Amino acid sequence: GAGVSQTPSNKVTEKGKYVELRCDPISGHTALYWYRQSLGQGPEFLIYFQGTGAADDSGLPNDRFFAVRPEGSVSTLKIQRTERGDSAVYLCASSRSGGDEQFFGPGTRLTVL
Amino acid sequence: AQSVTQPDIHITVSEGASLELRCNYSYGATPYLFWYVQSPGQGLQLLLKYFSGDTLVQGIKGFEAEFKRSQSSFNLRKPSVHWSDAAEYFCAVGPPYNQGGKLIFGQGTELSVKP
């Protein structure tokens, strides 16, 4: 079946702009995760959804970052007033339930000029 | 604090040689342990996982890993490396199975394979 998909695959924006990154999880997966991977580093956790609600948003770096999952399926990560330091690959993962194996999407590479 | 350490940033091995990638973790309870592989431009692919039971776990592509509680380690091994194994390898820990929650990743080990 289809895996986790993320759009766009690449996003180039200017400092100060707003961006939205989309994640389509595997059908039927109730848990969804966002991670951020900077060059030469391992992925770092941002936020975890169980259904429509954020079960853990402790990884969001500041209030410029926000994520939603209004119908318990697709999720959007929103970044306001982007900064050059936000440049990274943003990874989405989903799992059947909260404690199950996480399946990762290919990521969105965000470049802030 | 919860953390994962992969001491080796980069390893080079000859094709056909054996491989061991090190992973040490710090976690409050016995965590769910994972090894992922990431090829350039690709997403993370799960190689293997451990929660309980036999401490030697087998994964895909001929990889195995051994959980050693006393050393808080979960090292990845392969008896004979193939050129296609060149990639970045990440060790990760997560909450015990069915408890849900974030994975904590190590910094990664980049594997190069010499012909």
Side-chain angles (χ1 to χ4, degrees), chain A residues 34-36 44-48 56-61 77 90:
Chain A
W34 285 99
Y35 295 84
R36 178 168 70 174
E44 292 181 301
F45 169 78
L46 295 175
I47 187 169
Y48 154 46
D56 182 357
D57 64 358
S58 62
L60 295 177
L77 179 66
Y90 289 80

Side-chain angles (χ1 to χ4, degrees), chain A residues 33 35 37 40-45 48 50 56 58 91 96-107 109, chain B residues 32 34 36 38 41-46 49 88 90 95-108:
Chain A
Y33 303 80
Y35 295 84
Q37 186 175 20
Q41 302 295 318
E44 292 181 301
F45 169 78
Y48 154 46
Q50 184 61 253
D56 182 357
S58 62
L91 297 168
R96 270 197 304 263
S97 64
D100 209 347
E101 170 189 339
Q102 295 180 27
F103 294 84
F104 283 81
R109 181 175 298 279
Chain B
Y32 208 168
F34 305 85
Y36 284 88
Q38 187 176 42
Q42 303 296 312
L44 291 160
Q45 181 183 21
L46 182 69
K49 59 188 177 184
E88 187 94 24
F90 292 96
Y97 184 72
N98 278 336
Q99 291 190 17
K102 64 186 178 186
L103 296 181
I104 300 169
F105 286 84
Q107 187 175 6

Side-chain angles (χ1 to χ4, degrees), chain B residues 20-100:
Chain B
E20 182 169 27
L21 302 182
R22 295 182 290 164
C23 172
N24 292 93
Y25 67 89
S26 174
Y27 204 86
T30 300
Y32 208 168
L33 294 157
F34 305 85
W35 275 99
Y36 284 88
V37 61
Q38 187 176 42
S39 298
Q42 303 296 312
L44 291 160
Q45 181 183 21
L46 182 69
L47 287 175
L48 47 77
K49 59 188 177 184
Y50 172 82
F51 175 60
S52 65
D54 191 346
T55 57
L56 184 64
V57 293
Q58 303 297 320
I60 62 171
K61 305 184 180 186
F63 285 92
E64 65 178 27
E66 185 172 13
F67 170 61
K68 293 186 177 179
R69 184 190 305 274
S70 61
Q71 298 177 20
S72 295
S73 69
F74 189 56
N75 294 350
L76 182 71
R77 300 195 293 249
K78 186 169 184 178
S80 177
V81 168
H82 187 263
W83 64 267
S84 61
D85 293 324
E88 187 94 24
Y89 291 80
F90 292 96
C91 180
V93 300
Y97 184 72
N98 278 336
Q99 291 190 17

Side-chain angles (χ1 to χ4, degrees), chain A residues 22-38:
Chain A
R22 176 186 168 107
C23 172
D24 282 86
I26 294 172
S27 178
H29 280 195
T30 62
L32 185 144
Y33 303 80
W34 285 99
Y35 295 84
R36 178 168 70 174
Q37 186 175 20
S38 300

